[in-house]
Amino acid sequence: LALYPGLGNFNGLLDWKSSNQDVRSLEESRQAMEEAHEKGMIVEYDRSIRAAEEKYGPIFEAFAEQSVKELAKNEDALDVGQRLFLQNCAQCHGSNAMGGQGFPNLTDDDWLYGGEPSDIKTSLLEGRRGNMAPFGEQFSDKEINELANYVASLSGRDRDPDLVEAGKANFAVCSACHGQDGKGNQQLGAPNLTDNVWLYGGSINKIEETIRYGRSGVMPAWKNILGEDKIHVISAYVYSLSNDE
């Protein structure tokens, strides 16, 4: 009680402070830390981070010298990558990395933006922002149903041939992103519609919903949160999930 706050308004001899209560962003947190340093205050979280960097920094630096493909065969690196994944990525992609509606499955070798090491690393570093335009005002309900049946047929599903043929004519609007063959475009993050893998559901109702209202997906950028060395290790872990022989 003499060293730390605990007696009324007495701040303690060390002038120690708990974490800032009003911080709402990473940048505000950094600014608060810098202000605390200037005032000579002890910030426990900052001290913990420095201690962790001193202990684990050399390990991540050693991992960074290996390529993602090499790390994907390094059991020690994969153990670290899995823990980082569980701490930072599992809330969206699941602890088994199999995703859910609106969150990609990372174990199936089906990639919106590419599954090569550089593609995965870019997704983690810079984030991704996908957008499927809504067509509810352009097409009638009947046309949307026809188009949904045509899209469903692209993955080999048995649909009413009359609806499929009618929907094919309007698919020209979609081909700008998904291609005339419906196999998508990883440069744009446009899904392959022929593989029967559906990010938002593949029922006719779900496909109609996607066409009518569009979709908007955001993958946050982790570069300024985790740093490149940690992301390098997570990239190896994610790469290993769909390349496990």
Side-chain angles (χ1 to χ4, degrees):
L1 291 178
L3 296 174
Y4 296 93
L7 294 173
N9 292 327
F10 178 55
N11 290 331
L13 298 177
L14 292 179
D15 196 30
W16 182 91
K17 296 289 191 301
S18 62
S19 59
N20 295 281
Q21 300 302 311
D22 297 325
V23 167
R24 294 290 182 272
S25 70
L26 196 62
E27 184 57 34
E28 288 182 11
S29 177
R30 290 196 188 95
Q31 291 176 358
M33 284 184 180
E34 290 174 3
E35 291 172 2
H37 292 162
E38 291 173 0
K39 295 177 182 178
M41 293 165 56
I42 299 172
V43 181
E44 185 65 26
Y45 176 75
D46 190 27
R47 186 163 56 183
S48 297
I49 291 295
R50 287 203 305 269
E53 288 295 336
E54 290 174 1
K55 182 175 182 180
Y56 299 111
I59 297 175
F60 284 107
E61 289 175 5
F63 286 153
E65 294 178 357
Q66 301 179 54
S67 70
V68 168
K69 288 187 176 181
E70 289 174 326
L71 283 184
K73 300 176 182 179
N74 184 322
E75 292 299 328
D76 291 336
L78 292 181
D79 285 344
V80 174
Q82 182 183 41
R83 288 195 290 273
L84 288 169
F85 180 91
L86 292 172
Q87 292 164 1
N88 299 282
C89 314
Q91 57 266 45
C92 290
H93 295 283
S95 59
N96 60 3
M98 296 184 72
Q101 185 169 308
F103 301 102
N105 181 348
L106 304 178
T107 70
D108 62 1
D109 201 27
D110 183 84
W111 300 92
L112 284 173
Y113 295 93
E116 289 301 310
S118 59
D119 300 322
I120 296 171
K121 196 168 180 179
T122 297
S123 293
L124 284 161
L125 286 169
E126 308 297 341
R128 301 287 188 182
R129 186 176 294 273
N131 184 59
M132 158 76 182
F135 290 95
E137 295 184 1
Q138 182 171 344
F139 296 132
S140 67
D141 288 345
K142 179 176 179 293
E143 289 172 325
I144 288 175
N145 178 256
E146 293 167 347
L147 185 53
N149 276 273
Y150 174 72
V151 169
S153 74
L154 291 175
S155 55
R157 292 154 66 182
D158 187 20
R159 305 305 305 170
D160 185 309
D162 291 333
L163 292 176
V164 170
E165 187 62 28
K168 184 177 182 180
N170 284 325
F171 187 77
V173 175
C174 313
S175 64
C177 293
H178 295 282
Q180 293 183 350
D181 55 5
K183 291 189 177 182
N185 185 337
Q186 291 183 346
Q187 295 296 318
L188 301 175
N192 181 351
L193 303 176
T194 70
D195 58 6
N196 210 25
V197 176
W198 303 92
L199 186 58
Y200 294 97
S203 69
I204 293 298
N205 285 341
K206 284 295 183 182
I207 298 174
E208 286 184 355
E209 184 180 290
T210 298
I211 296 170
R212 182 175 287 109
Y213 301 112
R215 300 290 184 182
S216 181
V218 177
M219 159 75 181
W222 291 90
K223 181 177 181 178
N224 293 331
I225 299 174
L226 294 176
E228 292 197 30
D229 288 351
K230 290 184 176 69
I231 286 175
H232 189 69
V233 178
I234 299 178
S235 298
Y237 173 71
V238 172
Y239 179 77
S240 76
L241 294 175
S242 60
N243 289 276
D244 188 349
E245 295 178 358

